[in-house]
Amino acid sequence: MWTLDELLERVSAALEAEYSGAPNGRVRDVPDRRAVRWYATTGLVDRPSAMRGRTALYGKRHLLQLVAVKRLQSEGRTLAEIQAELAGAGDPTLAAIARVPDRLLDSGDPPPRPDVRPRFWADPVATPGRTPQAKAVPLNGVALGDGAVLLVPGAPTAADCADIAAAARPLLDLLAARGLLTNERESS
């Protein structure tokens, strides 16, 4: 595990070889602290693996992600294109793009624990046609008065309707006070 500064040193060392920088000159050759935090916020890079007090700790996957982003930027790709390509990418894919020397990947620390929270933004988008089917439920309307109707899934009796209307009186008073009932609107 590395601190943010240690991670950025490794990113810089990994990019020393085979890296020409961004073609348009508007993108930094090496990300700074602020860029890494922004990448994590937008899901381009995983959130820190752990915290030591207030210090965020990063691991091998973060190094691979940051170097992969910079290598793809050097090819002229936008962050949106990179994010679409790297969403859900595993470590082997990131390693192939990043080409980080093995000596930089070895931290000497035990491997980080897996993320506790699911990484929903990194999962591939669901394919169309596999949407769950909605189930139709027959509804019955209970007239509350002044144009308000309560929909219920069961078949209420006359006594149920009377009890529901009595219980709904405070709601009807509120709706009337705000001019949201049929009679109130017609008189305006």
Side-chain angles (χ1 to χ4, degrees), residues 47-152:
R47 298 179 67 92
S49 297
M51 298 293 288
R52 186 185 315 133
R54 293 181 56 191
T55 303
L57 298 175
Y58 300 86
K60 172 185 166 183
R61 182 171 173 80
H62 297 98
L63 176 60
L64 293 174
Q65 288 174 319
L66 288 169
V67 175
V69 166
K70 288 316 210 179
R71 292 212 190 273
L72 293 173
Q73 277 185 319
S74 73
E75 296 173 5
R77 298 194 195 175
T78 66
L79 285 179
E81 293 169 334
I82 295 168
Q83 189 169 23
E85 182 176 340
L86 297 182
D91 288 354
T93 302
L94 292 170
I97 295 169
R99 300 182 310 276
V100 175
D102 290 337
R103 65 180 171 76
L104 295 173
L105 294 172
D106 184 26
S107 65
D109 295 334
R113 295 183 327 209
D115 290 341
V116 175
R117 292 180 283 186
R119 297 176 53 242
F120 66 89
W121 61 88
D123 293 337
V125 178
T127 56
R130 296 197 59 201
T131 57
Q133 296 297 321
K135 182 180 176 186
V137 176
L139 298 175
N140 293 299
V142 177
L144 300 178
D146 296 330
V149 177
L150 173 68
L151 297 177
V152 294

Side-chain angles (χ1 to χ4, degrees), residues 17-36:
E18 304 176 35
Y19 181 67
S20 59
N24 62 11
R26 294 180 9 206
V27 178
R28 292 179 181 267
D29 287 341
V30 177
D32 60 8
R33 297 168 61 94
R34 186 174 177 184
V36 173

Side-chain angles (χ1 to χ4, degrees), residues 174-182 184-185 188:
L174 173 69
L175 294 173
R178 297 200 177 174
L180 298 173
L181 295 176
T182 306
E184 296 298 318
R185 288 185 179 168
S188 304

